[in-house]
Amino acid sequence: MATAGDPELVLDAKALLGEGAIWNAALQQLHWIDIVGRRVFTYDPATGENRAADVGQMVGTVVPRAGGGLMLALHEGFAGFDPDTGRVTLLPRPPEHDPAIARFNDGKCDPAGRFWAGTMALVKRPNPPGKLYRLDADGSVRVMLRDVGTSNGIAWTLDRRTMYYIDTPLRRVDAFDYDDATGAIANRRTVITIPPDLGRPDGSTLDAEGMLWIAMYNGWSVTRWNPRTGERLQTIRLPVARVTSCAFGGPDLDTLYLTSARTGLTDEQLAAQPLAGGVFQVKPGVRGVRASAYQG
Ligand code: CA
């Protein structure tokens, strides 16, 4: 594998909680979000333009829709979004979701085009109220996991047989057997354990070699892991502590885009990392795989 170049700043966006990076292969543009800033962005590397849209409530993730437009996981639930008109169409409240105690967070589409997104507590509670949901193409929503702390990175292998999932406070990556025909998951087991000194595992994406990239919140880095051995293969340092999500993009899917956060940092910490909240890119020497769009 080629050596990684140095990460470069793409956008000095100063996002509060930049997140949700995903490459839209149909448009050759990068979508990302500011969860706390309630905005969805579309960055076009060809022009340098970064279009922003206020979606009116906290937004946990964004995915492209196969028929055009975008899907969001908003604080209250799943929604369609037309970035051209700014129109948000909220779907019915997902089962067991109480927006007073939890909000939607990270999520992506599985290889069959179902949209998975999970929730996290807004306030500390003895039992974590987070869940992992699956929105099918027919608009139906199911609870797939309960007792989730902070639902984060989710990815599926190229052979469509395994799903990787990060519940951040557990500091690990779990794998499930995934049935592409039905969307069922089974046989949960831990495949990667994250040492505390690396920070907390946040967003993730798979590369074409089947290795998992994980954004390290409070870890000043993005890391590459072999999910079959649990071994850490590579660490790319960033000039910001709170690296939140990662996605391969560009015409050859060889550019790794990274988002970051500035929320919760003290003035002193912000002085030491003035680019916090920015979007970065790096060429890590390996290609990614195309992200799935929502088929509904
Ligand atoms: Ca996240």
Side-chain angles (χ1 to χ4, degrees):
M1 197 182 74
T3 312
D6 288 328
E8 298 167 24
L9 179 71
V10 177
L11 294 167
D12 189 11
K14 303 222 173 340
L16 293 170
L17 183 46
E19 268 282 5
I22 187 166
W23 183 252
N24 187 323
L27 300 179
Q28 292 289 299
Q29 294 173 343
L30 181 81
H31 303 298
W32 64 286
I33 57 173
D34 184 342
I35 294 180
V36 183
R38 305 175 175 205
R39 287 182 297 170
V40 174
F41 300 95
T42 302
Y43 168 67
D44 185 344
T47 65
E49 188 193 8
N50 183 48
R51 253 188 320 150
D54 187 328
V55 292
Q57 55 177 278
M58 283 195 282
V59 50
T61 196
V62 55
V63 296
R65 201 168 186 170
L70 303 173
M71 290 298 290
L72 307 176
L74 292 174
H75 180 161
E76 294 176 29
F78 293 100
F81 178 60
D82 181 342
D84 294 326
T85 64
R87 186 182 166 88
V88 175
T89 308
L90 195 64
L91 302 186
R93 171 93 33 99
E96 304 176 32
H97 177 52
D98 179 356
I101 61 167
R103 68 158 170 87
F104 270 83
N105 197 45
D106 205 345
K108 293 283 181 292
C109 288
D110 69 25
R114 307 174 195 92
F115 182 15
W116 299 59
T119 54
M120 59 175 279
L122 288 168
V123 287
K124 270 214 183 326
R125 297 179 75 85
N127 300 310
K131 292 169 189 74
L132 178 64
Y133 291 91
R134 195 187 85 200
L135 169 66
D136 288 7
D138 64 3
S140 63
V141 179
R142 301 179 161 66
V143 179
M144 300 303 290
L145 290 175
R146 292 186 177 82
D147 304 317
V148 172
T150 303
S151 192
N152 253 317
I154 189 165
W156 291 263
T157 53
L158 269 175
D159 67 5
R160 303 181 171 211
R161 294 179 63 173
T162 306
M163 181 181 96
Y164 298 120
Y165 180 62
I166 293 171
D167 179 358
T168 292
L170 302 180
R171 293 182 175 279
R172 63 188 206 218
V173 179
D174 286 354
F176 295 80
D177 296 340
Y178 160 74
D179 184 333
D180 196 48
T182 65
I185 50 172
N187 188 25
R188 183 174 189 163
R189 67 272 184 192
T190 296
V191 292
I192 295 169
T193 301
I194 311 284
D197 60 308
L198 292 186
R200 294 200 304 238
D202 200 330
S204 66
T205 194
L206 274 171
D207 65 32
E209 296 174 2
M211 303 297 137
L212 198 63
W213 291 83
I214 305 177
M216 307 306 300
Y217 192 89
N218 282 344
W220 301 86
S221 63
V222 59
T223 50
R224 184 181 191 237
W225 303 75
N226 183 338
R228 290 183 284 278
T229 63
E231 179 192 9
R232 178 162 51 111
L233 304 172
Q234 195 175 350
T235 299
I236 299 176
R237 303 278 298 174
L238 276 292
V240 292
R242 298 185 163 177
V243 187
T244 52
S245 77
C246 51
F248 283 94
D252 301 320
L253 291 176
D254 62 351
T255 301
L256 188 64
Y257 287 99
L258 300 141
T259 56
S260 66
R262 55 194 292 116
T263 187
L265 296 176
T266 63
D267 289 347
E268 196 177 15
Q269 287 170 321
L270 285 170
Q273 43 177 306
L275 300 181
V279 176
F280 298 84
Q281 66 179 19
V282 64
K283 297 235 181 189
V286 63
R287 290 179 187 204
V289 294
R290 190 176 166 137
S292 291
Y294 177 57
Q295 292 294 332

